[in-house]
C-alpha cells in the first residue's frame, strides 16, 4: 500500500494560506536487539519529532508513521513483548488505560463516526512489527475508502504527520 501525502489539502479545504509542508523526521538508529519502537522511545528527540503523544509509567502512545487515516495512533508498552500474556499486570492495566485515553483524544480531535481499536499479534495476523506489541487506534468515517485505495492501492493522507501530532497532542486527556 502506497501513501500519497497531501498534507496541504486539509489547510486548503479549511481556507488557510498554504505554503507547502515538510514532514521530514529525524533518522532513528535501531541498535542491537532494540525494536524500532524502543529506539524511537529512547532516541532523545523531542516528542513532537519522535511522534510520541503521551508517556505513562510503563506505556506510551505515538502516531503511526504509515497511517491508514489521519489520526491513526498506537499505544504500546515501553518494554518490547510480542504477546499480551507477556505483559505484567501493571503494564496490562496501563496499556488499556492508554487505549481509553487515545480513543478520547481521537474523538475530541476528529469527531469520527467510528473508531477502530485492534492489535495484530504475530506476523501471521498481519503485524508489521511483531516483536513489539502495539494497539492501533484510528478514526473512521462512513465511506472513508475511495477509488485510490481500491484501484491504485494508495491512500491519500489529507493532513501532515506534524499537523496530526499537534491536533492529537492538544486533545490528549490530562488524566
Amino acid at each position: 500500500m502506497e501513501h500519497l501525502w497531501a498534507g496541504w489539502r486539509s489547510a486548503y479545504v479549511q481556507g488557510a494560506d498554504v505554503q507547502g509542508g515538510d514532514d521530514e523526521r529525524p533518522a532513528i538508529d535501531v541498535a542491537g536487539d532494540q525494536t524500532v519502537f524502543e529506539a524511537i522511545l529512547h532516541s532523545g528527540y523531542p516528542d513532537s519529532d519522535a511522534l510520541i503523544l503521551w508517556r505513562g509509567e510503563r506505556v506510551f502512545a505515538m502516531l503511526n508513521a504509515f497511517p491508514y487515516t489521519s489520526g491513526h495512533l498506537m499505544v504500546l508498552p515501553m518494554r518490547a513483548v510480542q504477546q499480551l500474556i507477556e505483559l505484567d499486570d501493571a503494564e496490562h492495566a496501563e496499556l488499556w488505560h492508554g487505549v481509553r485515553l487515545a480513543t478520547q483524544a481521537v474523538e475530541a480531535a476528529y469527531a469520527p463516526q467510528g473508531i477502530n481499536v485492534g492489535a495484530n499479534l504475530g506476523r501471521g495476523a498481519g503485524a508489521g512489527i511483531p516483536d513489539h506489541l502495539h494497539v492501533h487506534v484510528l478514526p473512521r468515517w462512513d465511506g472513508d475508502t475511495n477509488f485510490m485505495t481500491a484501484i491504485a492501492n494508495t491512500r491519500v493522507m489529507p493532513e501532515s504527520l506534524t499537523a496530526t501530532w499537534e491536533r492529537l497532542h492538544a486533545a490528549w486527556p490530562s488524566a
Side-chain angles (χ1 to χ4, degrees):
M1 178 69 59
E2 297 293 323
H3 286 80
L4 176 60
W5 290 97
W8 53 269
R9 183 103 174 108
S10 179
Y12 175 77
V13 168
Q14 295 172 10
D17 183 26
V18 178
Q19 299 299 318
D22 184 14
D23 239 351
E24 294 286 323
R25 298 276 147 232
I28 303 286
D29 292 324
V30 180
D33 60 352
Q34 258 187 336
T35 68
V36 67
F37 295 135
E38 289 172 311
I40 291 167
L41 180 65
H42 303 297
S43 69
Y45 290 121
D47 286 351
S48 58
D49 288 343
L51 302 177
I52 295 173
L53 293 160
W54 169 75
R55 293 173 188 256
E57 291 182 31
R58 298 169 182 82
V59 172
F60 68 107
M62 66 178 292
L63 290 184
N64 187 324
F66 302 98
Y68 186 83
T69 65
S70 294
H72 183 171
L73 64 98
M74 301 173 293
V75 182
L76 53 160
M78 292 179 181
R79 183 172 69 94
V81 299
Q82 294 180 10
Q83 300 294 323
L84 285 168
I85 194 73
E86 296 175 69
L87 296 171
D88 64 34
D89 290 343
E91 289 169 323
H92 183 268
E94 192 174 37
L95 177 73
W96 295 107
H97 173 70
V99 169
R100 182 173 56 195
L101 295 176
T103 61
Q104 288 176 289
V106 165
E107 287 174 355
Y110 290 94
Q113 294 168 320
I115 295 177
N116 284 135
V117 173
N120 301 320
L121 303 176
R123 196 167 300 284
I129 303 176
D131 54 345
H132 199 139
L133 168 82
H134 50 284
V135 178
H136 295 267
V137 177
L138 57 148
R140 298 301 304 270
W141 294 267
D142 293 338
D144 64 2
T145 59
N146 61 36
F147 76 94
M148 287 293 284
T149 303
I151 298 193
N153 202 29
T154 299
R155 298 203 198 297
V156 178
M157 304 306 300
E159 182 175 73
S160 70
L161 287 173
T162 300
T164 300
W165 184 89
E166 290 169 353
R167 195 170 180 176
L168 284 170
H169 188 262
W172 199 269
S174 58

